[in-house]
Amino acid sequence: FIFFIFSKKSEFRLSNEKLEKLNSLLQIYQGTHNFRNFTNSKYWGDPSSNRYIIRAKCDKPFMVGDIEYVKLTFEGQSFMLYQIRKMVGGVIGVMRGCYPPELLLNALLINKIKVSEIPTAPGYCLYLNNTFFDDYNKSKNNLHGSLVLTENEQNIKDEFKMSQLYPHINSIEDQTDL
């Protein structure tokens, strides 16, 4: 899971209508696509640029202090350098009206888009919340046990986010002009 901020420096809040639009944009990423335009390290046609996104969605926003957060979920088999930041940056650019929605689809389908045309979301407000090791956890040869957090470990993680991570992100947000 990945979170990002809709800045407290603006009056923007994610309405139900905008949430629906955001989710429809995220669905463009679902399926198997060539994500070459979402990384700097691949050339067009490189089969290793193909990635499978199982699910891309946004949950309802929530407030921490005076900053509205949204939780974006990207579930896939593997990701490339900057891929998630560019996927999020592209969606933010479209949501803000800086780019047409076709930018996202064209970036997946054709080589006319330059990597630099897809904005990269700032890294300070994105973080990896969970990893999934479903195949590993189902393996009968698993010598080390399941890689799933217990309820207590999940509670510790959630407390850390509220007491340390969000306040840290909020302090960086206070210092930026983004």
Side-chain angles (χ1 to χ4, degrees):
F1 297 106
I2 303 216
F3 290 77
F4 71 91
I5 298 170
F6 284 112
S7 175
K8 68 181 177 182
K9 296 177 182 178
S10 75
E11 297 299 316
F12 180 84
R13 292 294 181 245
L14 191 66
S15 66
N16 286 337
E17 180 181 302
K18 289 186 186 212
L19 178 61
E20 286 180 32
K21 178 181 178 183
L22 179 55
N23 274 312
S24 71
L25 291 171
L26 289 170
Q27 288 178 0
I28 292 170
Y29 294 134
Q30 291 180 175
T32 301
H33 302 286
N34 186 315
F35 282 92
R36 177 264 178 264
N37 288 319
F38 294 85
T39 186
N40 296 331
S41 60
K42 303 287 182 182
Y43 62 89
W44 187 259
D46 182 348
S48 70
S49 298
N50 289 340
R51 294 292 188 264
Y52 177 54
I53 305 295
I54 298 164
R55 183 172 49 142
K57 72 175 193 114
C58 179
D59 290 342
K60 289 189 175 196
F62 61 95
M63 299 294 291
V64 176
D66 55 353
I67 294 182
E68 182 176 76
Y69 287 78
V70 293
K71 177 181 174 181
L72 299 178
T73 301
F74 294 97
E75 186 178 344
Q77 292 182 327
S78 67
F79 300 101
M80 298 178 289
L81 182 65
Y82 301 122
Q83 180 184 347
I84 297 295
R85 288 179 62 191
K86 285 197 168 278
M87 289 168 64
V88 171
V91 167
I92 291 172
V94 171
M95 290 294 295
R96 288 184 173 175
C98 301
Y99 302 96
E102 296 78 31
L103 173 79
L104 304 178
L105 188 57
N106 288 342
L108 293 171
L109 298 177
I110 57 176
N111 191 23
K112 289 195 239 176
I113 304 293
K114 294 181 183 141
V115 172
S116 61
E117 291 180 41
I118 300 172
T120 304
Y124 77 85
C125 55
L126 299 171
Y127 71 92
L128 178 65
N129 188 45
N130 281 339
T131 55
F132 300 96
F133 298 99
D134 295 339
D135 290 341
Y136 176 85
N137 289 333
K138 292 175 188 171
S139 171
K140 302 221 184 288
N141 296 326
N142 182 346
L143 301 175
H144 303 288
S146 177
L147 296 176
V148 175
L149 295 179
T150 65
E151 184 177 342
N152 185 52
E153 292 167 335
Q154 182 66 42
N155 290 338
I156 291 168
K157 182 180 88 169
D158 292 342
E159 173 57 33
F160 174 80
K161 288 188 299 191
M162 294 304 289
S163 68
Q164 302 293 318
L165 186 61
Y166 293 144
H168 178 71
I169 292 171
N170 289 359
S171 72
I172 293 172
E173 177 70 9
D174 283 339
Q175 300 167 16
T176 65
D177 290 330
L178 299 176

